[in-house]
Amino acid sequence: MRLSFDWQDYELIDCKNGEKLERWGDVLLVRPDPQVIWHSKAGDPRWHSAAARYKRSHTGGGEWQVFGKLPPQWQVSYKDLVFNVKTMGFKHTGLFPEQAVNWDLVRRLIRQSGRSDVRVLNLFAYTGGATVACLKEGASVVHVDASKGMTQWAKENAASCGVSGGSVRWIVDDCVKFVQREIRRGNAYDIIILDPPSYGRGPKGEIWRLEDSLYELVQLISQVLSESPICVILNSYTTGLSAGVMKYVLQDIISKEKGGVVDADEIGLPVSSNGQVLPCGATAVWMKDELD
């Protein structure tokens, strides 16, 4: 499992009984997590000091229960990256800290390429964690997300990181439709990052599931890979989509055409109170060349 060890402003303190206790800067939050199926009795005393807890409703959804001082928005840093976070609907904060392991990877690959003209396509880009990481290394980025609000949030993160003046295009659009147009335009990218949702809706409102649509999605993005590609990073939080399946898909489509190597594994976060590790999804990475 690939882990993020270098956080200072984020800490997964403890997890039990379907919930996790986290520190975001100076703010303690309790959030539900379906991976936490164990019922530990002993736990960190800070469970009782959380500023807020997200409580699921039996009828769907849920709400934040606020117990202490909870700012409307605050900042957390990872190395030289600064992110704006806040409690929002459906338990989220606008940041997935386990993805730091992939921010580090893509930054290393850009540096290792020795190029100053690296083009990145970040699809389903959310609040821009990978976008600002690539901008920090001098790459040009096309950031695509269907949500106008999330894209605005990503712009604010870019400003906080000092990279809003970098070479970036902010695109609010359906990712599949955007890639289809890029194919017709003949545009190509050296790095493609995909973080698709488990579920979505097609242009006619039909429901699609990632495990049913992933192969066609990778076939599509393979058509906008450049002649000198660096990597494709594919993230998934879909329970039924294993790292091994994602690896097979990238090998079957990208490796057959471009060669290179594929690595895939779970990503996770260390639990500071007991030394355990919480799995937090999976990532498959195609690289043209192995890391030095």
Side-chain angles (χ1 to χ4, degrees):
M1 188 182 298
R2 298 169 58 229
L3 307 180
S4 297
F5 287 109
D6 295 330
W7 277 100
Q8 300 295 320
D9 277 0
Y10 172 84
E11 178 186 3
L12 176 53
I13 300 170
D14 198 6
C15 46
K16 62 176 183 174
N17 305 324
E19 294 181 314
K20 55 189 177 183
L21 171 65
E22 305 166 291
R23 178 180 60 81
W24 297 81
D26 296 327
V27 179
L28 297 183
L29 299 177
V30 175
R31 298 192 294 159
D33 193 305
Q35 297 286 342
V36 183
I37 64 172
W38 45 90
H39 301 284
S40 306
K41 292 183 179 180
D44 192 285
R46 284 173 288 179
W47 281 99
H48 304 291
S49 303
R53 172 187 240 124
Y54 188 87
K55 192 72 173 177
R56 290 193 184 280
S57 170
H58 295 298
T59 59
E63 63 179 1
W64 285 97
Q65 299 175 333
V66 179
F67 308 116
K69 185 178 179 180
L70 181 67
Q73 181 169 301
W74 67 103
Q75 291 185 329
V76 296
S77 298
Y78 178 76
K79 298 182 177 178
D80 58 347
L81 305 178
V82 180
F83 299 101
N84 302 284
V85 297
K86 61 185 176 182
T87 53
M88 52 187 294
F90 197 63
K91 79 179 183 180
H92 294 304
T93 64
L95 192 66
F96 291 86
E98 64 273 10
Q99 287 296 326
V101 72
N102 287 325
W103 306 334
D104 289 342
L105 172 64
V106 73
R107 294 183 71 168
R108 182 178 175 187
L109 288 170
I110 293 170
R111 289 194 299 268
Q112 185 174 292
S113 74
R115 295 168 49 186
S116 59
D117 62 346
V118 175
R119 299 192 68 203
V120 179
L121 176 61
N122 188 12
L123 297 172
F124 312 96
Y126 197 48
T127 60
T131 294
V132 296
C134 294
L135 289 171
K136 276 289 187 181
E137 298 302 325
S140 62
V141 182
V142 175
H143 172 113
V144 187
D145 195 276
S147 169
K148 184 177 180 180
M150 293 300 106
T151 303
Q152 177 59 39
W153 197 335
K155 291 179 181 179
E156 294 168 5
N157 284 336
S160 297
C161 291
V163 293
S164 55
S167 178
V168 56
R169 293 176 59 206
W170 307 102
I171 307 293
V172 178
D173 200 355
D174 177 88
C175 290
V176 170
K177 291 180 179 179
F178 178 80
V179 173
Q180 289 170 338
R181 288 198 298 274
E182 289 294 87
I183 293 170
R184 294 193 294 269
R185 294 168 183 147
N187 290 331
Y189 300 87
D190 308 302
I191 294 174
I192 300 178
I193 302 168
L194 304 101
D195 199 351
S198 297
Y199 300 93
R201 290 189 178 273
K204 297 181 180 179
E206 67 274 17
I207 295 175
W208 63 270
R209 293 173 175 81
L210 179 59
E211 57 264 44
D212 298 329
S213 306
L214 177 62
Y215 194 85
E216 288 75 15
L217 179 61
V218 176
Q219 282 182 317
L220 190 69
I221 65 99
S222 71
Q223 298 177 64
V224 292
L225 267 177
S226 72
E227 293 301 315
S228 302
I230 296 172
C231 72
V232 174
I233 299 177
L234 171 62
N235 294 304
S236 171
Y237 290 90
T238 304
T239 304
L241 192 59
S242 69
V245 169
M246 294 194 297
K247 179 177 182 177
Y248 196 110
V249 170
L250 292 186
Q251 287 177 325
D252 198 53
I253 298 173
I254 308 296
S255 295
K256 280 186 177 179
E257 180 181 350
K258 303 289 188 180
V261 296
V262 179
D263 184 34
D265 204 345
E266 288 184 295
I267 57 175
L269 291 166
V271 183
S272 62
S273 65
N274 58 24
Q276 300 276 24
V277 171
L278 178 66
C280 302
T283 300
V285 182
W286 173 87
M287 294 175 287
K288 182 62 176 177
D289 301 299
E290 291 196 52
L291 285 169
D292 293 337

